[in-house]
Amino acid sequence: MLQRALTPNPLFRPTQVLNQLRSGQVFYVKARKGNGMIICHPHYAEVVGPGALVGGVVDLDCARLIPLGNVALTYPENFQRKYQAFHARSQWIEATRKAVDCPVPLKRGRRIVVMMQQYFGGRAIAEIPDEVLGNIVGVFPQTIAMARQSLRRSQRPAPPAPRPLATNNIR
């Protein structure tokens, strides 16, 4: 796990978050744009953003949490808040499905990198291992590395056009 805390004022130590999730405890990600987390399961990973539910029966097998931004987890106050958090999680699953909904692995890799950069920023995404991003969209880590490299090349500014040579009219 990255060395950042999962809550600014933790109710328990960040190392205990996994134990809380594995016990079935339910939290939600405090709603602040650019904050979220990646929930790593044994065979896949999921992205969740602000307002999304974390924990419960869907995350009992959680192996690792990777915070994105200044994420804070909190308990849902009532049934309505829990329902909203569940709905937010399903929206994140749908957004990820759109990135995955492509048969070409390199395109899936590019799509998840672009999606994550747009929402969480380039600096946060640069810290995420290729293996984790690959687990989100079902591709090898090498494919994510190629997708990142391809995106860096396409985002570089084009070299300046050659300037026309000055012509002197020598008579």
Side-chain angles (χ1 to χ4, degrees):
M1 185 174 355
L2 299 177
Q3 296 302 317
R4 294 178 280 158
L6 294 178
T7 59
N9 298 310
L11 299 171
F12 40 83
R13 292 189 315 271
T15 55
Q16 292 178 315
V17 174
L18 282 176
N19 292 336
Q20 294 288 324
L21 292 179
R22 290 175 184 153
S23 73
Q25 182 64 49
V26 175
F27 302 100
Y28 70 95
V29 178
K30 283 291 259 190
R32 283 182 253 156
K33 184 167 175 34
N35 295 336
M37 56 187 358
I38 297 175
I39 303 170
C40 300
H41 297 270
H43 303 291
Y44 67 99
E46 288 182 70
V47 180
V48 294
L53 180 90
V54 177
V57 296
V58 295
D59 293 324
L60 289 175
D61 65 345
C62 180
R64 180 180 177 194
L65 294 173
I66 300 174
L68 302 168
N70 295 317
V71 68
L73 297 176
T74 191
Y75 295 103
E77 307 85 41
N78 53 41
F79 176 79
Q80 181 64 28
R81 180 66 221 147
K82 195 181 285 188
Y83 177 80
Q84 290 170 344
F86 179 78
H87 181 68
R89 174 112 179 222
S90 66
Q91 288 177 318
W92 277 96
I93 291 169
E94 179 62 20
T96 305
R97 185 197 62 77
K98 288 179 182 176
V100 174
D101 198 19
C102 177
V104 180
L106 186 57
K107 283 186 180 179
R108 288 198 310 267
R110 284 178 60 106
R111 285 179 180 182
I112 196 63
V113 171
V114 168
M115 179 184 115
M116 300 284 287
Q117 283 177 338
Q118 287 175 345
Y119 198 83
F120 299 108
R123 181 176 289 152
I125 302 314
E127 296 178 9
I128 299 171
D130 293 340
E131 178 183 359
V132 172
L133 288 177
N135 283 341
I136 295 171
V137 293
V139 300
F140 291 120
Q142 298 88 337
T143 305
I144 295 295
M146 289 177 8
R148 289 186 203 243
Q149 185 178 19
S150 158
L151 286 168
R152 279 192 295 269
R153 275 192 302 239
S154 68
Q155 292 171 351
R156 279 190 203 142
R163 296 184 340 180
L165 297 174
T167 57
N168 294 333
N169 292 334
I170 301 176
R171 293 181 192 219

